[in-house]
Amino acid sequence: MSTYTARLAALRAQLARQRLDGFVVPLTDEHMSEYVGAYAQRLAWLTGFQGSAGSAVVLPAAAAIFTDGRYTLQVREQVSGDDWQYVAVPATSIADWLGEHAPAGGRIGYDPWLHTRAWVAEARAALAARGADLIAVDTNPIDAVWPDRPAPSDAQLVVQDDAHAGLSSAAKRAAIADWLAAHKADAVVLTALDSIAWALNVRGKDVAHTPVALAYAIVDADGTADLFVAPDKVTDAVRQHLGNAIRLHPRDAFAGALGAFADKRIAADPQSAVSAIFDRLDQGGATILPSRDPVVLAKATKNQQEIAGHRAASARDGAALARFLRWVEAEAPKGGLTELSCVAKLLECREATGVLLDTSFDTISATGAHGASPHYHSTPDSNAPLELGQLYLVDSGGQYADGTTDVTRVLPIGEPTAEMRDRFTRVLKGHIALATAIFPAGTTGGQLDGFARRPLWEIGLDYAHGTGHGVGAYLSVHEGPARIAQPFYPGGGPAEPLRPGMILSNEPGYYKAGAYGIRIENLILVEERVAEGGTMLGFETLTFCPIERTLIVAELLTPAERDWLDAYHARVVAVIGGSLDAEERAWLAAKCAPIA
């Protein structure tokens, strides 16, 4: 019996002890985070799945794992089909599947600290049709059978100084107070970890690659706040930074505090506040105002200091990545490089900056067929050598105090095929189409998504992920609310107008199962553009690193596309050339020469 088969059996035995006929296992934490601490990696522990989005359902005689198109290949490599049924979302939701497979009259458990109120309502309705019940558990059954479950991180908070933040915490809390007054609310519950970090100008180390701390906050109408965080995480410097306007409480006091708002109007975000929070507020007699966290849009709309910081971080990061690409180009044809040795070398290049604080996510280092899985993660078991005839895709980023980066480049190992070059050029054409888009205020990312897909659509191809996501300011590499994706693509979501100051990714791709993957990713800043008929919006490209010229079919590019590429490469030389030595600059100049 495999380790994961044994774990599944142990969970089923525990469910029987708790008088449950099933249990839902999401990949999230009590804050509805995308990336979670080791203590909350229940899905990975149970199934072996290492992706960053997914869920599972365990029933007495069936089990299913739910992933989107980004993980179609990965989930089959990491999760046994003998134990688990693979279910694609959004085509089939967990509620849909439960409505078909849950035992009639059964009791299906869920952890109310890991699901939204909307999800609970949907699942409960689907189960009711089968005469089954959705049961909130007091203790998560996985925790009972996970003997070596890690404890939550005890890392201390650090101050994000105003020079990087651009606004003081007092100013941010004053803006939240103004929002509360406009909504006639007494307080707002902040549960998203990056919202708390941004509002209080603090950072943490509790989640790999995302500089946040496990905490909750409640901001009152007078601009003061209550912060619920483990006491040992607060240093004297942080306590001084927070000042008297921030009242400190242990994190485990948060649930009880929610019962103290009788006859008060309390705002909470249905997207990031879990079902248990709404239940506690209801039970305490609060009037709940379901409303988007007021930090979300302010955080996404970067101020001038945050933008300046990101430009500096991008230039530094681009030079490090260029050094790495030069190394791969020189060493890969000799043999001996592997996906993981490349990860180590790229980290070395970023650490050489002297100011790298973390990577912004696990580096996607994928050669050959592994590149066809958009979120592939190399492990010692899957680690593959870079071989002639392959494409090597590397998607990576850094966390610096002044900015968060995310960039993808593709290199041929040896001579690429004509098909590889054609597909790469079409992805590049889509990338350029989005980078050069001009659009009116009120336009959503979903309305622009097709710009990047058209060159592939023209020959009947597509890619199964969104084209862009928001990026934080030394915060989460995946930040809402804006996306460049239609709702039916993974990474899509509610339509959100793009606003000046938002930083997003531009990352169209193409993936041929069993063969190769292509993605070209830069970060872009929404900015105002003066047009003949009035003010419009457009994008400034923030990432500077050469795009592989040997993969480009020049004849497929229009004159305007060639001009964009040549201008981009000239800018790459100007921005990062001064950080390179003479040999590196010569290599960069050749890589950035005009397209013939």
Side-chain angles (χ1 to χ4, degrees):
M1 181 184 293
S2 75
T3 297
Y4 295 109
T5 300
R7 290 174 179 177
L8 180 58
L11 176 59
R12 283 184 167 131
Q14 179 63 27
L15 294 179
R17 285 189 288 271
Q18 293 185 220
R19 297 178 52 247
L20 295 171
D21 300 298
F23 189 70
V24 181
V25 186
L27 200 174
T28 190
D29 60 11
E30 307 91 322
H31 308 272
M32 298 306 296
S33 306
E34 176 183 11
Y35 297 111
V36 301
Y39 80 97
Q41 291 280 358
R42 297 178 179 91
L43 184 68
W45 178 85
L46 178 66
T47 68
F49 179 61
Q50 299 295 319
S52 61
S55 298
V57 177
V58 176
L59 301 177
I65 185 163
F66 299 76
T67 58
D68 63 43
R70 295 171 293 179
Y71 302 101
T72 300
L73 301 178
Q74 182 176 340
V75 70
R76 285 162 173 77
E77 293 175 354
Q78 296 176 338
V79 180
S80 171
D82 294 335
D83 294 328
W84 297 89
Q85 174 185 342
Y86 308 118
V87 183
V89 296
T92 302
S93 69
I94 292 175
D96 293 336
W97 193 87
L98 283 171
E100 293 183 8
H101 295 86
R107 290 163 47 88
I108 307 301
Y110 76 102
D111 187 335
W113 287 95
L114 300 179
H115 296 275
T116 65
R117 189 170 58 164
W119 181 90
V120 171
E122 180 187 14
R124 181 162 284 142
L127 288 169
R130 292 183 67 83
D133 291 329
L134 188 66
I135 306 297
V137 299
D138 294 326
T139 58
N140 194 303
I142 290 181
D143 299 350
V145 296
W146 186 355
D148 54 352
R149 179 178 170 231
S153 164
D154 60 1
Q156 294 180 325
L157 291 167
V158 295
V159 175
Q160 176 76 341
D161 62 69
D162 290 358
H164 287 134
L167 288 170
S168 68
S169 174
K172 293 175 179 180
R173 286 183 281 108
I176 295 172
D178 290 342
W179 181 91
L180 288 168
H183 287 76
K184 297 181 173 58
D186 296 295
V188 59
V189 178
L190 299 183
T191 59
L193 299 181
D194 57 345
S195 287
I196 296 166
W198 186 88
L200 302 184
N201 283 352
V202 293
R203 298 293 188 267
K205 298 180 180 179
D206 290 351
V207 178
H209 312 303
T210 307
V212 293
L214 294 172
Y216 296 97
I218 300 174
V219 181
D220 293 333
D222 62 0
T224 64
D226 293 275
L227 176 63
F228 298 83
V229 64
D232 291 345
K233 301 172 82 65
V234 183
T235 65
D236 289 341
V238 170
R239 188 174 285 105
Q240 181 178 358
H241 162 73
L242 294 174
N244 295 331
I246 310 295
R247 297 171 291 273
L248 295 171
H249 312 271
R251 182 169 179 259
D252 57 14
F254 173 69
L258 295 173
F261 293 106
D263 301 322
K264 300 289 188 181
R265 291 168 57 84
I266 308 300
D269 191 334
Q271 297 296 316
S272 58
V274 296
S275 174
I277 290 174
F278 285 93
D279 293 344
R280 301 288 179 118
L281 288 170
D282 272 332
Q283 293 161 9
T287 297
I288 302 173
L289 305 179
S291 180
R292 185 164 70 185
D293 168 355
V295 172
V296 167
L297 190 56
K299 173 169 53 67
T301 309
K302 310 299 185 287
N303 60 50
Q304 290 305 308
Q305 286 92 330
E306 289 172 324
I307 292 170
H310 185 91
R311 289 193 178 110
S314 288
R316 182 188 314 123
D317 196 70
L321 182 57
R323 289 190 178 95
F324 167 75
L325 295 176
R326 176 174 178 257
W327 175 81
V328 173
E329 183 180 85
E331 297 299 321
K334 302 175 186 177
L337 295 191
T338 68
E339 292 168 337
L340 289 180
S341 69
C342 288
V343 171
K345 180 64 176 182
L346 180 51
L347 179 60
E348 177 186 312
C349 291
R350 284 196 166 103
E351 288 178 333
T353 65
V355 291
L356 181 73
L357 298 173
D358 196 355
T359 53
S360 56
F361 55 96
D362 285 326
T363 295
I364 298 171
S365 176
T367 193
H370 286 162
S373 181
H375 282 211
Y376 168 77
H377 174 60
S378 187
T379 68
D381 290 337
S382 69
N383 185 29
L386 276 63
E387 297 178 339
L388 293 176
Q390 295 180 337
L391 292 183
Y392 172 62
L393 181 153
V394 58
D395 184 350
S396 67
Q399 290 283 13
Y400 306 92
D402 49 1
T404 299
T405 67
D406 183 3
V407 54
T408 307
R409 289 295 185 265
V410 177
L411 290 179
I413 309 303
E415 186 66 25
T417 66
E419 180 188 275
M420 291 173 176
R421 297 179 72 234
D422 175 89
R423 304 302 187 260
F424 184 91
T425 307
R426 290 179 184 278
V427 171
L428 175 60
K429 287 168 71 70
H431 181 97
I432 295 171
L434 183 58
T436 57
I438 302 295
F439 49 95
T443 299
T444 68
Q447 290 172 303
L448 301 180
D449 182 75
F451 286 34
R453 297 178 189 272
R454 179 174 174 175
L456 289 169
W457 283 349
E458 288 174 345
I459 57 170
L461 301 176
D462 201 358
Y463 49 94
H465 59 74
T467 303
H469 56 82
V471 176
Y474 184 39
L475 277 173
S476 176
V477 74
H478 290 167
E479 179 181 82
R483 297 285 188 272
I484 301 175
Q486 297 176 46
F488 48 82
Y489 286 106
E496 180 69 33
L498 301 180
R499 294 172 173 84
M502 288 180 168
I503 295 176
L504 302 104
S505 65
N506 173 4
E507 50 179 310
Y510 172 71
Y511 309 93
K512 184 176 182 179
Y516 59 85
I518 294 167
R519 187 162 61 253
I520 302 172
E521 178 183 18
N522 287 339
L523 298 188
I524 51 180
L525 170 70
V526 182
E527 61 177 1
E528 289 188 345
R529 296 284 179 83
V530 177
E532 182 178 349
T535 301
M536 301 288 279
L537 298 179
F539 296 116
E540 173 193 342
T541 294
L542 297 171
T543 303
F544 291 100
C545 186
I547 296 170
E548 181 56 40
R549 296 171 75 257
T550 62
L551 285 170
I552 298 171
V553 181
E555 295 77 18
L556 289 180
L557 299 180
T558 67
E561 290 166 343
R562 292 190 191 201
D563 289 346
W564 182 93
L565 184 63
D566 289 344
Y568 174 75
H569 275 150
R571 184 70 176 144
V572 169
V573 172
V575 170
I576 71 173
S579 300
L580 306 178
D581 64 28
E583 290 185 357
E584 292 165 343
R585 283 196 299 274
W587 172 88
L588 183 68
K591 283 292 176 186
C592 295
I595 292 294

